[in-house]
Amino acid sequence: MVPGIHRPAAVYVNLAAIKHNLKEEQKQLKPGQKLFAVIKANAYGHGAVKVAQAAIEVGVDGFCVAILDEALELRQAGIKAPILVLGVTPTQYVSLAVSHDISLTVPDLAWLKEANKELTGEDNELKIHLAVDSGMGRIGFSEDQDFLAANDFLLDNHHFNVEGMYTHFASADSSDDSYFTKQVECFNHFKGLLKLKPKWIHADNTAASQFHQQVESDIVRFGIGTYGLNPSSNPASQDLPVRFKLEPALSFESELVQVHTVHKNQGISYGSTYVTDSDQIIGTVPVGYADGFIRKFQGFTVKVGDEYCPIIGRICMDQLMVRLPHEMPVGTKVILISNNPQAPNDIKAAADYVDTIHYEVACLLDDRLPRIYYEK
Ligand SMILES: *Cc1c(COP(=O)(O)O)cnc(C)c1O
């Protein structure tokens, strides 16, 4: 996808906010605890390389990504810090991980045995973290036998450096901690089975580090908090209080490219789902669902100049229309998603409006939107 640099639409990312969030989280760390910024999916849409560089400036200890390619992107950009791939990497690529000093997740014994076949040669040593499925049902060991056999397998094998063991919580962001507690117990059980001594045993995501300080975790895998967003912000539950002020880093901005008066009884956009009930001033904004601003945003309120205006009619692939309260010049700024958490069009309000979570709204913003970085 070619970024649209000749159109007035972009995702703006405040790197000062990202650094602030990371520095505040560093202050919360327990002695010896490490901070890994989770920058999978292009840093939740914020741009992985720039976010990584900002994170290095404030001294984070490492990074987590979802897939091997994301780790390679960071290495190519000159990032030397530890990088853990959280997803399952096909074993045919383990040598590539070794040659770039990238740590991989082990989901089960079968993966380990297949990976071993690829690691011929004396100094072919793969750094691994054993994943434990304590209740996500996603990846990791869930049977004692398999886990014990993997420990035995690793004890007399020199192709693996067991750096870590970890689990992931399904509901660390919920005020009801019964399922969370069950997961902690399950993870503790697996810790008890260990025959090896991994350097880092870790469980914390942003939510666990914010809301469950009692849990032991040698690494905090800090994702959504890096971007200044409260992990508990989902429509189904009330926000839990975070331990410091998070600063949202991302805004999505464009401009009016046309302003014109549409007469009474005229339809706006495909299907004429909106029909003017009077003469109205319509502004056209050159972004649409192809940018990841999905059709469900029809009716959402965005900021045009100093006014909040509704999106009317269906959102097109590349354009959308807003109803203006008065004439405004072409070139007037349009803030589709604000980085001000109090604004009616902040990312949480946007996510609520389309029945999803802010993680998804940020990730959906497409590569056609250039990322513009600033510090303020
Ligand atoms: C995405 C992810 C994280 C980060 O979660 P946040 O809620 O964004 O802090 C941590 N660990 C794993 C395994 C993940 O997949």
Side-chain angles (χ1 to χ4, degrees):
M1 174 69 78
V2 48
I5 57 173
H6 302 102
R7 121 181 119 159
V11 170
Y12 289 82
V13 179
N14 182 1
L15 293 173
I18 292 196
K19 290 187 202 170
H20 161 88
N21 299 322
L22 290 168
K23 280 193 279 195
E24 288 299 315
E25 183 68 11
Q26 282 169 327
K27 290 184 201 158
Q28 307 287 337
L29 296 177
K30 299 168 195 158
Q33 202 175 27
K34 305 281 181 211
L35 184 62
F36 277 39
V38 181
I39 55 173
K40 60 195 182 194
N42 202 26
Y44 297 34
H46 294 63
V49 170
K50 289 286 185 179
V51 170
Q53 286 163 345
I56 293 282
E57 275 181 51
V58 300
V60 302
D61 302 289
F63 297 99
C64 297
V65 293
I67 65 175
L68 183 57
D69 304 84
E70 293 172 346
L72 294 171
E73 180 189 27
L74 298 178
R75 287 286 181 254
Q76 266 142 29
I79 305 287
K80 304 270 192 304
I83 304 174
L84 168 61
V85 177
L86 297 168
V88 179
T89 306
T91 52
Q92 68 195 98
Y93 304 124
V94 297
S95 294
L96 190 57
V98 172
S99 60
H100 291 87
D101 192 28
I102 292 161
S103 308
L104 298 184
T105 290
V106 178
D108 55 23
L109 179 60
W111 187 95
L112 205 50
K113 287 183 171 167
E114 287 302 313
N116 188 48
K117 290 183 195 159
E118 302 286 332
L119 296 167
T120 49
E122 259 317 291
D123 22 81
N124 232 351
E125 190 191 70
L126 178 67
K127 290 179 175 169
I128 53 169
H129 290 231
L130 304 175
V132 171
D133 175 14
S134 62
M136 272 289 282
R138 191 168 71 174
I139 57 174
F141 292 89
S142 54
E143 301 293 340
D144 292 7
Q145 283 317 316
D146 212 32
F147 187 70
L148 289 168
N151 273 262
D152 290 333
F153 183 83
L154 290 166
L155 277 174
D156 49 38
N157 184 301
H158 302 292
H159 287 307
F160 297 96
N161 169 355
V162 189
E163 252 187 349
M165 162 175 165
Y166 75 96
T167 197
H168 190 50
F169 294 119
S171 50
D173 59 341
S174 165
S175 53
D176 175 356
D177 61 4
S178 49
Y179 197 78
F180 178 82
T181 307
K182 266 209 250 172
Q183 283 198 262
V184 172
E185 279 163 13
C186 175
F187 191 48
N188 285 340
H189 168 76
F190 277 92
K191 281 197 245 174
L193 298 179
L194 265 179
K195 299 180 185 184
L196 307 144
K197 287 226 174 317
K199 181 163 55 166
W200 296 313
I201 299 181
H202 52 111
D204 275 8
N205 53 5
T206 302
S209 82
Q210 289 287 332
F211 312 132
H212 301 278
Q213 280 287 303
Q214 74 286 3
V215 173
E216 282 176 44
S217 185
D218 295 329
I219 297 175
V220 176
R221 303 187 307 265
F222 196 58
I224 198 77
T226 301
Y227 313 102
L229 305 175
N230 182 331
S232 77
S233 290
N234 60 66
S237 67
Q238 190 147 25
D239 284 17
L240 297 170
V242 283
R243 306 173 79 230
F244 54 84
K245 190 166 164 285
L246 290 163
E247 282 182 20
L250 177 147
S251 62
F252 172 25
E253 301 179 18
S254 186
E255 289 176 6
L256 297 177
V257 291
Q258 184 176 4
V259 177
H260 64 305
T261 298
V262 169
H263 295 296
K264 187 176 168 177
N265 288 331
Q266 193 179 316
I268 302 290
S269 192
Y270 293 115
S272 303
T273 58
Y274 179 91
V275 177
T276 50
D277 57 7
S278 57
D279 286 4
Q280 291 178 352
I281 305 165
I282 305 299
T284 303
V285 186
V287 300
Y289 63 79
D291 298 294
F293 201 69
I294 63 174
R295 289 167 90 238
K296 264 194 171 178
F297 278 113
Q298 177 171 351
F300 187 60
T301 295
V302 299
K303 194 171 186 192
V304 186
D306 296 324
E307 313 269 5
Y308 285 99
C309 307
I311 296 171
I312 53 166
R314 290 205 176 122
I315 291 178
C316 308
M317 189 183 292
D318 317 294
Q319 302 177 73
L320 59 82
M321 278 64 82
V322 288
R323 188 181 65 227
L324 305 176
H326 50 77
E327 279 289 336
M328 291 188 198
V330 162
T332 301
K333 191 191 225 186
V334 178
I335 303 178
L336 296 137
I337 296 173
S338 170
N339 60 8
N340 172 2
Q342 265 77 51
N345 61 335
D346 89 312
I347 195 164
K348 154 111 167 94
D352 286 355
Y353 190 80
V354 300
D355 294 318
T356 186
I357 52 173
H358 44 22
Y359 292 73
E360 189 177 34
V361 172
C363 286
L364 282 179
L365 295 172
D366 192 82
D367 283 352
R368 191 166 76 171
L369 295 165
R371 269 56 177 174
I372 297 177
Y373 297 92
Y374 66 101
E375 299 210 28
K376 199 174 91 193

